[in-house]
Amino acid sequence: MSRFSQPDPELGHRISRRGMLGVAAGATAAALLGAATTPATAATGAASAPHGRGRPVLPPGRLGIQLYSLRDKVSTLGFGPVFAELERYGYDEVEFAGYTQGSAGPITLAQLKRLARSHGLNPIGSHVGYYSSDPNAYTFATNLTKVLDDAEALGLKHIGTASGPFRYGSTVDAWKRAAEDFNTYGAAARARGMKFYQHNHSEEFSFATDKPHVRLYDVLLAETDPDLVYLEMDVYWAYVGQFRFSKRPDGTPAPFEPLDYVQRDPDRYPLFHVKDGVSDPSTEHGYRMTDVGDGDIDYQRFISGVTRLRGQRLAHHWQAEHDNPVESFAFARKSSAHLHSLREDC
């Protein structure tokens, strides 16, 4: 998917006074944005829904949001009002998809970090492109040092890409070459105290063009160093992959369960994208993307299946996302309310 406003090498670090909205934005955001909910109800609006009587499925302090979902608000209102709303909705973390805020004015990374923290939001990760033919592009392949410098300035613990490893093609050897790149980025990130990660779409679960019995995602897992390269499973796109690539090109069955990948190696999955979809086998993807809680993906089962693993309850971060929400603040509010309402059936 495309990502909004990738950092400009010249402008990404500059700020005007009007661009830095500061802590005061939290007090005025509701009036500015016309929000209808109050802080007391924003994150708990669905708490009365019948989701069991046990402990919350979502671990405390681990709910984030991918800011790509709010790119329309960031690019017009700026980070300040957006962070104020996310604080009201009960979010704990944010994952960046760019560090600029459009017409709201320039902002430095130091100020962006302080702004997030002032609203109780922990910057947990960021998506940056993998490769570009433009040598000046802001990607891991062309600007690795700058990418890591920026992530370090924001205090990120994770820095990753939402680009698939298709730089060299879709053969096994091509993905081995991409894995070498990822190992290089992972080693550089680790030297800075960060984890490099890759976020999947559905195509990662397709089959190699030269060896159609081999799933490309399995090549990525096997050829990357587990101490250097981590994965952010986008649960929605993994289920789309399950639908699209349940058979090999020759028609033989090749089913897989996304949760199985995580349960086999939970330490490789520090981050998840919580994205929902309504099942629709008549479409190419098998699902129609929707707000979290309005679809058919069983997040109570999925999150529980991860957090019930020994020592894993507080080992993961869950980022709500919708690629193109109808109304991005409504999506953010509903997603938080739904995920906070989920309870173990025990």
Side-chain angles (χ1 to χ4, degrees):
M1 79 185 77
S2 62
R3 293 293 181 189
F4 75 86
S5 302
Q6 290 295 339
D8 184 288
E10 296 295 326
L11 300 178
H13 302 300
R14 298 204 298 268
I15 185 171
S16 64
R17 288 184 181 273
R18 73 181 180 88
M20 179 59 181
L21 296 168
V23 181
T28 60
L32 230 131
L33 305 171
T37 55
T38 65
T41 61
T44 58
S48 60
H51 288 293
R53 295 186 296 275
R55 70 178 179 177
V57 169
L58 187 72
R62 293 295 168 132
L63 178 61
I65 191 166
Q66 167 51 256
L67 291 172
Y68 180 73
S69 305
L70 296 157
R71 62 195 181 277
D72 61 325
K73 300 296 193 295
V74 170
S75 65
T76 55
L77 300 170
F79 286 106
V82 170
F83 289 168
E85 288 298 284
L86 296 179
E87 180 182 22
R88 295 175 66 247
Y89 300 160
Y91 283 94
D92 310 297
E93 301 172 337
V94 289
E95 182 183 33
F96 289 103
Y99 311 132
T100 58
Q101 52 181 4
S103 61
I107 187 168
T108 69
L109 298 178
Q111 290 165 320
L112 181 54
K113 177 182 177 181
R114 288 197 299 270
L115 185 59
R117 295 288 172 83
S118 73
H119 288 290
L121 298 169
N122 178 32
I124 192 64
S126 180
H127 284 185
V128 176
Y130 164 27
Y131 171 77
S132 172
S133 58
D134 179 357
N136 298 312
Y138 188 84
T139 68
F140 280 94
T142 55
N143 274 282
L144 178 59
T145 299
K146 179 173 171 51
V147 168
L148 297 179
D149 285 346
D150 291 349
E152 196 169 25
L154 284 165
L156 301 180
K157 296 298 184 185
H158 308 84
I159 178 69
T161 184
S163 304
F166 292 95
R167 176 181 181 181
Y168 306 106
S170 299
T171 65
V172 170
D173 284 343
W175 276 52
K176 287 182 177 181
R177 291 180 65 191
E180 291 177 4
D181 289 346
F182 283 12
N183 285 332
T184 298
Y185 308 152
R190 182 177 180 178
R192 305 281 196 106
M194 292 177 280
K195 292 179 178 179
F196 169 79
Y197 64 95
Q198 194 267 343
H199 161 286
N200 65 274
H201 292 84
S202 64
E203 289 78 7
E204 282 86 338
F205 298 97
S206 64
F207 297 91
T209 53
D210 59 332
K211 297 182 179 180
H213 62 287
V214 176
R215 196 181 299 278
L216 288 171
Y217 195 68
D218 296 335
V219 177
L220 181 66
L221 286 168
E223 297 296 329
T224 51
D225 186 332
D227 292 326
L228 300 177
V229 177
Y230 297 84
L231 291 309
E232 176 181 58
M233 179 173 281
D234 185 303
V235 181
Y236 169 85
W237 286 118
Y239 275 96
V240 170
Q242 181 191 55
F243 174 84
R244 294 180 65 192
F245 305 112
S246 63
K247 294 181 179 180
R248 297 181 181 87
D250 65 2
T252 58
F256 73 93
E257 168 56 54
L259 182 57
D260 288 348
Y261 276 105
V262 184
Q263 291 181 327
R264 282 196 295 266
D265 199 356
D267 291 337
R268 292 204 76 178
Y269 292 87
L271 305 171
F272 293 89
H273 272 193
V274 180
K275 184 185 298 178
D276 213 344
V278 175
S279 178
D280 187 351
S282 68
T283 67
E284 176 190 3
H285 290 155
Y287 291 88
R288 289 178 286 105
M289 197 177 296
T290 189
D291 291 350
V292 177
D294 290 345
D296 297 315
I297 296 177
D298 188 351
Y299 277 105
Q300 181 169 349
R301 170 183 170 271
F302 193 95
I303 297 175
S304 293
V306 176
T307 59
R308 284 175 180 168
L309 298 172
R310 184 180 299 276
Q312 296 296 324
R313 180 158 174 78
L314 295 177
H316 302 94
H317 306 265
W318 305 88
Q319 314 297 307
E321 188 185 33
H322 191 311
D323 290 356
N324 294 289
V326 174
E327 208 298 310
S328 55
F329 278 145
F331 154 75
R333 183 178 66 250
K334 288 167 60 180
S335 299
S336 176
H338 174 73
L339 291 168
H340 279 104
S341 77
L342 298 179
R343 297 291 186 272
E344 299 276 8
D345 290 323
C346 61

